[in-house]
C-alpha cells in the first residue's frame, strides 16, 4: 500500500506496586434506584410517565428522518421474519450471540420504534426478533452466572419491550441479563486491566475504550433489572465508580482520548452517553468531573485540512463516526462540538445522528463554532501528540508529530513518527490500522531495526514544544523508545527488556509558516555506537501518490490537477464526449476522486456509448477523500473492450445516491 523512500545516513527491571480497590473505596458512590416502581418499565432513561411527551416528540417533523430510518429497518427485518426460513433463523441465532454483530443494535432499534409508535404490529415484530436471542441462549436450567461485559443493546431492548413480552419471556430475558452481572462479573472488578485492575499506565484510562465498554455495557445491564430478581446493586456501584473515573482519567485534561481515532469516536465510546443518561436518571452526575467538554478541541486538531477524516494512526482507519457519543457531545456542549457532529455526519440528508440520544437528550443545534480561530499549533502533552498548521483552509498544510504514553492501547512502534497533508493531498503517511512495525512508519532504522512492537509498552517523551505565530519547534528524545520494552502479563509485574539501545536518538521538527508556503524541517541525530552502521530514514506516502527520487531528493505529486467533471446529488449527470475517434477496440478508465464528506454509501451509473457498466465496477462512494485520485476501469457490460464505430465516444456519469 505504501511506497518506501529511504535515504542513507553516514536488563533493566521495573516493579510497580498496586493498592487493590477495596469495598470502602468503590462503595462510596451509592446508586439510588430509578424513580420508577419495582417491576415497572421503561426505567433506563425515562419512565412510563414520560412516554406521552416522547411519542409527541418522535412524531414531529424534526424527527421524521430518524423515524424513517427505523421504519426501513423494521420493514426489512419484517420480511425476513415472515419467511421463517429455518436456516436463516439459525444463522441469526448465532449472530445474536456474537461479540459485536448488527443483531443486538437492530433488536434495540426495533424496540425503540415499537415503544415510540405504540403499535401492536411493531411490538410483535420487535419481540419476535428479540426472542431469537432468547432462544439462542442455553436453557434456563443450564444457564449459570459467568463473567461478562454485559450488553447495553439487549438491556435497552428488554427495558423497552418489557410490557409487550409474556411473563415467561420477561423471566427468561431477566435470567439471561442477571447471569451477565452476577458474582463472577463482580469478582473480576479490580482484577483485570479492563475491569479497573492494574495496568502499565496506572490509571483507569489504560486501554480506555475497553474500560468504557465493560463499565457501560455491564452498568446498563445491571440497571435494566434493578429491583428485580438477580439484580446486583453492589456491582452497579462499582461500575459507576469506574465509569466516572474513565471520564476523567481516560480522557486527558485537554480532551484527547488515549486510543486510535476510530475507537475514540465510534466503537470504543458507543455506550458512553447511554451510561451517562441512565446514571443521570438516577440522580448521579458524571459530567462535572469529566473532560468531555474538551473532546471537540482534540477532534478539531485531528481532522485533516478538508475535514471529515483524520490521519490513520494507531490501529485506526482515521474515520470519524457520528454515533451516540458525538451526538451527545454536540447537544450537551454546543459550539465546537456542533462543528464536530456536522463534520461527522451529512445532517442535511438527515443521517447518522443517534435517534435514542436525540430523543432523550434532544437534537443538537445545526450551527456551531467552526475551527477558525483555534491555535495553529497544539501540543496534547498527556496524549503525546503535536499538531501544526499553516491555516484552517482545505488546501492548507497540517503536520502531526506522534508519541504515545506508556499504557496507551492500540499503539504501533511509531514513537517520533510524523504525518503531513498539504494542498488537498495526503503526503507523508502513517501505515494505518494494520501495519504495526517501525519499518512502516516515518522513522530511522539502524541496521534495519527500529522500535519494539508491543501495545502500550514503549516509552518516549517530548522534551519541549516552543510555538509562536511564525513557527513551532518540537524537541524529542527517542532513546527509550528504541532501547526497551515492558514485558509481563497484564496484571504485572512488568520488566523492562533491552531491545535496541542507542547512544543517541534525538529528533527535532520545525514547522515554519512561511510567506511563500510552509516549511517543515526534520533534524535527526542518531548513533548506535562507534561501529559502522546502516542508518535508514523512512518516509512513506500512500500508493496513489506519484513518487520520484533523485539522489537525496524526492518528490510527491498528485495524479491529477486539471479540469474535472463534478457530479453530486441524485440525478445529476456529467457527460464527456469526443468526436472523430478512429474506429477500433479500446480500453478505458476514469480518473475519480470521492467528494470531501463523511463516508457515505454511494452509487454511480457509468454509461459508455449507451452501454452501462455494471454497478460493481463503478462504485467509488463518498468520503475517504485523502485516498486521492484513482483509476476506475470502464467495463461496459462487464467487458474491458470498448467498441467505437462511427467516430463518436460518449461517457456519461450519473449520480444515483
Amino acid at each position: 500500500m505504501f511506497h518506501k523512500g529511504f535515504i542513507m545516513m553516514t536488563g533493566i527491571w521495573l516493579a510497580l506496586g498496586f493498592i487493590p480497590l477495596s469495598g470502602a473505596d468503590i462503595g462510596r458512590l451509592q446508586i439510588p434506584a430509578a424513580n420508577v416502581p419495582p417491576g415497572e418499565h421503561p426505567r433506563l432513561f425515562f419512565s412510563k410517565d414520560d412516554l406521552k411527551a416522547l411519542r409527541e416528540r418522535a412524531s414531529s417533523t424534526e424527527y421524521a428522518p430518524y423515524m424513517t430510518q427505523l421504519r426501513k429497518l423494521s420493514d426489512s427485518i419484517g420480511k425476513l421474519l415472515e419467511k421463517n426460513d429455518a436456516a436463516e433463523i439459525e444463522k441469526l441465532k448465532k449472530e445474536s450471540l456474537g461479540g459485536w454483530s448488527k443483531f443486538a443494535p437492530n433488536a434495540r432499534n426495533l424496540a425503540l420504534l415499537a415503544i415510540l409508535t405504540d403499535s401492536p404490529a411493531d411490538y410483535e415484530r420487535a419481540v419476535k426478533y428479540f426472542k431469537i436471542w432468547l432462544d439462542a441462549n442455553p436453557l434456563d436450567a443450564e444457564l449459570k452466572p459467568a463473567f461478562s461485559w454485559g450488553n447495553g443493546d439487549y438491556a435497552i431492548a428488554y427495558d423497552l419491550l418489557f410490557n409487550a413480552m409474556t411473563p415467561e419471556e420477561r423471566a427468561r430475558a431477566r435470567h439471561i441479563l442477571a447471569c451477565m452481572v452476577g458474582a463472577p462479573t463482580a469478582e473480576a472488578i479490580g482484577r483485570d486491566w479492563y475491569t479497573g485492575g492494574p495496568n502499565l499506565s496506572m490509571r483507569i484510562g489504560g486501554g480506555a475504550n475497553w474500560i468504557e465498554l465493560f463499565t457501560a455495557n455491564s452498568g446498563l445491564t445491571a440497571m435494566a433489572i434493578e429491583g428485580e430478581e438477580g439484580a446486583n446493586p453492589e456491582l452497579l456501584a462499582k461500575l459507576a465508580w469506574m465509569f466516572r473515573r474513565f471520564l476523567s482519567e481516560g480522557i486527558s485534561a485537554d480532551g484527547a482520548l488515549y486510543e486510535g481515532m476510530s475507537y475514540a469516536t465510534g466503537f470504543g465510546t458507543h455506550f458512553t452517553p447511554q451510561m451517562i443518561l441512565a446514571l443521570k436518571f438516577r440522580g448521579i452526575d458524571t459530567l462535572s468531573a469529566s473532560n468531555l467538554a474538551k473532546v471537540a478541541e482534540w477532534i478539531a486538531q485531528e481532522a485533516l485540512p478538508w475535514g471529515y477524516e483524520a490521519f490513520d494512526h494507531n490501529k485506526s482507519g482515521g474515520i470519524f463516526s457520528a454515533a451516540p457519543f458525538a451526538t451527545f457531545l454536540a447537544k450537551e456542549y454546543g459550539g465546537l462540538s456542533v462543528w464536530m457532529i456536522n463534520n461527522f455526519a451529512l445532517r442535511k440528508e438527515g443521517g447518522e445522528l443517534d435517534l435514542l440520544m436525540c430523543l432523550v437528550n434532544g437534537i443538537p443545534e445545526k450551527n456551531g463554532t467552526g475551527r477558525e480561530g483555534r491555535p495553529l499549533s497544539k501540543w496534547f502533552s498527556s496524549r503525546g501528540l503535536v499538531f501544526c498548521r499553516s491555516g484552517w483552509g482545505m488546501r492548507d498544510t497540517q503536520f502531526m508529530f506522534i508519541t504515545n504514553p506508556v499504557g496507551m492501547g492500540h499503539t504501533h512502534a511509531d514513537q517520533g513518527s510524523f504525518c503531513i497533508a498539504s494542498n488537498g493531498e495526503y503526503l507523508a503517511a502513517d501505515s494505518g490500522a494494520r501495519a504495526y512495525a517501525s519499518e512502516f512508519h516515518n522513522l530511522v532504522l539502524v541496521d534495519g531495526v527500529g522500535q519494539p512492537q508491543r501495545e502500550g509498552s514503549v516509552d518516549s517523551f517530548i522534551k519541549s514544544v516552543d510555538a509562536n505565530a511564525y513557527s513551532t519547534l518540537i524537541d524529542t528524545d527517542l532513546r527509550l523508545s528504541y532501547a526497551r520494552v515492558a514485558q509481563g502479563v497484564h496484571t504485572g509485574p512488568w520488566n523492562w527488556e533491552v531491545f535496541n539501545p542507542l547512544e543517541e536518538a534525538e529528533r527535532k521538527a520545525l514547522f515554519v509558516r512561511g510567506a511563500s508556503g510552509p516549511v517543515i524541517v526534520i533534524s535527526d541525530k542518531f548513533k548506535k555506537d562507534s561501529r559502522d552502521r546502516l542508518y535508514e530514514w523512512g518516509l512513506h506516502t500512500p500508493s496513489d501518490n506519484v513518487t520520484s527520487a533523485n539522489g537525496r531528493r524526492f518528490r510527491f505529486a498528485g495524479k491529477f490537477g486539471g479540469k474535472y467533471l463534478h457530479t453530486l446529488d441524485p440525478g445529476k449527470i456529467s457527460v464527456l464526449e469526443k468526436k472523430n475517434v478512429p474506429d477500433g477496440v479500446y480500453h478505458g478508465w476514469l480518473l475519480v476522486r470521492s467528494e470531501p464528506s463523511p463516508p457515505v454509501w454511494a452509487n454511480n451509473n457509468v454509461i459508455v456509448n449507451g452501454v452501462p457498466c455494471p454497478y460493481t465496477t463503478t462504485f467509488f462512494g463518498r468520503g475517504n477523500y485523502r485516498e486521492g485520485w484513482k483509476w476506475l476501469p470502464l467495463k461496459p457490460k462487464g467487458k474491458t473492450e470498448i467498441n467505437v464505430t462511427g467516430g463518436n465516444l460518449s461517457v456519461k456519469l450519473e449520480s444515483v445516491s
Side-chain angles (χ1 to χ4, degrees):
M1 180 181 178
F2 294 87
H3 296 304
K4 295 184 186 178
F6 288 108
I7 297 178
M8 299 290 295
M9 303 173 68
T10 30
I12 307 165
W13 185 74
L14 174 68
L16 295 175
F18 293 95
I19 301 173
L21 304 179
S22 69
D25 290 330
I26 51 188
R28 288 176 186 152
L29 182 61
Q30 298 299 319
I31 308 298
N35 189 24
V36 174
E40 182 181 297
H41 287 260
R43 63 187 309 109
L44 273 179
F45 312 110
F46 44 81
S47 70
K48 182 179 177 181
D49 293 337
D50 299 322
L51 283 177
K52 181 180 179 181
L54 288 174
R55 286 167 178 163
E56 289 177 355
R57 177 183 287 184
S59 64
S60 68
T61 303
E62 192 177 21
Y63 282 83
Y66 309 107
M67 296 298 289
T68 298
Q69 289 178 8
L70 288 184
R71 175 56 61 195
K72 286 181 179 178
L73 171 68
S74 177
D75 290 345
S76 173
I77 291 177
K79 292 177 182 178
L80 186 150
L81 295 176
E82 286 171 10
K83 289 182 181 178
N84 200 28
D85 182 275
E88 190 67 34
I89 296 299
E90 284 302 312
K91 182 180 177 182
L92 287 174
K93 284 183 179 180
K94 291 180 180 179
E95 183 185 344
S96 74
L97 297 176
W100 310 107
S101 69
K102 291 182 179 179
F103 189 96
N106 286 346
R108 175 206 63 203
N109 286 332
L110 288 182
L112 182 60
L113 177 66
I115 204 166
L116 292 177
T117 63
D118 201 26
S119 160
D122 286 338
Y123 276 124
E124 181 181 1
R125 181 177 292 172
V127 170
K128 189 174 183 179
Y129 192 74
F130 185 65
K131 196 170 180 295
I132 292 174
W133 173 64
L134 298 183
D135 294 341
N137 279 272
L139 297 174
D140 283 349
E142 303 169 1
L143 195 61
K144 305 296 181 186
F147 171 75
S148 170
W149 290 31
N151 191 297
D153 284 324
Y154 290 135
I156 295 170
Y158 167 80
D159 182 52
L160 300 179
L161 294 176
F162 185 88
N163 294 307
M165 291 188 284
T166 65
E168 293 75 20
E169 290 166 343
R170 286 198 292 265
R172 169 83 167 142
R174 182 169 57 248
H175 182 41
I176 296 171
L177 295 174
C179 285
M180 292 180 175
V181 291
T185 301
E187 291 164 1
I189 298 289
R191 183 186 67 198
D192 299 313
W193 62 273
Y194 51 83
T195 64
N199 62 76
L200 199 56
S201 71
M202 296 296 289
R203 62 171 193 270
I204 285 286
N209 68 292
W210 299 115
I211 295 287
E212 185 279 339
L213 287 169
F214 170 69
T215 55
N217 277 278
S218 296
L220 290 167
T221 304
M223 282 184 275
I225 61 171
E226 65 183 351
E228 301 171 13
E229 184 180 352
N232 193 339
E234 294 80 12
L235 172 63
L236 179 56
K238 295 176 181 180
L239 293 169
W241 178 85
M242 286 174 53
F243 180 77
R244 193 155 68 173
R245 283 192 60 193
F246 155 72
L247 292 179
S248 57
E249 296 180 35
I251 306 172
S252 71
D254 44 20
L257 275 77
Y258 294 91
E259 304 294 335
M261 175 53 58
S262 299
Y263 297 94
T265 64
F267 173 70
T269 55
H270 271 326
F271 290 93
T272 297
Q274 289 95 323
M275 184 69 165
I276 291 171
L277 292 178
L279 290 173
K280 181 180 178 181
F281 190 52
R282 286 148 182 82
I284 299 296
D285 168 37
T286 57
L287 295 182
S288 59
S290 79
N291 296 318
L292 284 168
K294 295 288 187 67
V295 169
E297 299 284 347
W298 172 48
I299 300 299
Q301 295 286 347
E302 280 270 359
L304 289 165
W306 48 87
Y308 308 112
E309 53 192 345
F311 291 123
D312 47 350
H313 64 105
N314 284 6
K315 282 194 177 180
S316 168
I319 302 302
F320 295 128
S321 171
F325 186 61
T327 304
F328 175 81
L329 294 181
K331 176 60 180 177
E332 194 71 25
Y333 300 111
L336 194 62
S337 294
V338 173
W339 168 86
M340 182 176 73
I341 194 69
N342 291 340
N343 184 71
F344 288 5
L346 288 170
R347 296 185 67 186
K348 64 183 179 183
E349 299 177 8
E352 307 222 7
L353 299 192
D354 184 77
L355 175 59
L356 181 61
M357 286 300 105
C358 293
L359 186 75
V360 178
N361 217 40
I363 296 177
E365 297 293 329
K366 290 195 173 182
N367 298 313
T369 305
R371 291 195 291 178
E372 298 77 11
R374 259 57 213 179
L376 293 178
S377 290
K378 179 70 174 179
W379 177 20
F380 292 92
S381 56
S382 298
R383 176 61 179 76
L385 295 175
V386 183
F387 295 93
C388 306
R389 295 174 179 271
S390 60
W392 292 103
M394 179 175 174
R395 298 176 74 86
D396 282 317
T397 298
Q398 179 182 3
F399 174 77
M400 178 179 74
F401 193 91
I402 302 168
T403 62
N404 299 296
V406 172
M408 176 182 160
H410 301 299
T411 59
H412 290 183
D414 64 348
Q415 305 276 24
S417 186
F418 60 89
C419 299
I420 302 171
S422 185
N423 203 32
E425 298 284 348
Y426 187 15
L427 299 177
D430 191 88
S431 61
R434 294 177 178 85
Y436 304 161
S438 293
E439 64 186 272
F440 300 110
H441 296 85
N442 302 322
L443 294 172
V444 174
L445 305 182
V446 183
D447 290 340
V449 180
Q451 302 167 7
Q453 174 55 45
R454 189 167 190 261
E455 289 186 37
S457 301
V458 180
D459 200 8
S460 75
F461 60 93
I462 296 174
K463 294 195 293 184
S464 64
V465 176
D466 296 316
N468 56 41
Y470 178 66
S471 65
T472 303
L473 176 63
I474 306 165
D475 187 5
T476 64
D477 187 335
L478 301 177
R479 283 178 298 171
L480 293 179
S481 62
Y482 287 82
R484 66 188 191 183
V485 57
Q487 296 284 8
V489 296
H490 282 303
T491 55
W494 294 279
N495 305 297
W496 287 120
E497 292 193 1
V498 175
F499 183 75
N500 183 22
L502 306 177
E503 290 183 12
E504 292 181 288
E506 180 184 78
R507 166 162 282 186
K508 294 183 179 180
L510 176 65
F511 184 93
V512 179
R513 299 173 187 87
S516 59
V519 176
I520 300 171
V521 180
I522 306 293
S523 171
D524 287 321
K525 188 177 182 182
F526 276 71
K527 182 182 179 183
K528 172 76 173 176
D529 50 32
S530 58
R531 295 172 53 190
D532 289 339
R533 301 284 186 176
L534 174 65
Y535 295 92
E536 296 173 286
W537 197 84
L539 187 65
H540 299 77
T541 188
S543 55
D544 283 336
N545 287 338
V546 178
T547 308
S548 59
N550 180 14
R552 296 172 64 91
R553 295 180 177 273
F554 56 88
R555 178 185 178 91
F556 298 150
K559 278 187 174 179
F560 186 73
K563 297 179 180 179
Y564 59 90
L565 300 176
H566 187 199
T567 298
L568 191 64
D569 293 326
K572 294 297 180 67
I573 297 174
S574 296
V575 181
L576 171 70
E577 292 183 324
K578 183 71 174 176
K579 304 291 187 182
N580 302 318
V581 178
D583 290 353
V585 178
Y586 292 83
H587 297 276
W589 295 263
L590 285 179
L591 193 59
V592 300
R593 187 173 195 178
S594 290
E595 183 74 9
S597 78
V600 176
W601 181 88
N603 185 12
N604 314 283
N605 286 336
V606 178
I607 301 171
V608 182
N609 277 356
V611 181
C613 299
Y615 160 78
T616 53
T617 69
T618 62
F619 175 87
F620 58 91
R622 293 170 66 177
N624 301 314
Y625 181 75
R626 68 166 179 220
E627 293 180 4
W629 292 90
K630 61 181 66 176
W631 289 108
L632 186 73
L634 294 174
K635 295 182 178 181
K637 287 188 176 180
K639 299 178 180 179
T640 58
E641 295 83 10
I642 299 173
N643 293 300
V644 175
T645 57
N648 295 325
L649 177 62
S650 170
V651 180
K652 181 167 71 172
L653 173 64
E654 178 183 10
S655 178
V656 178
S657 57

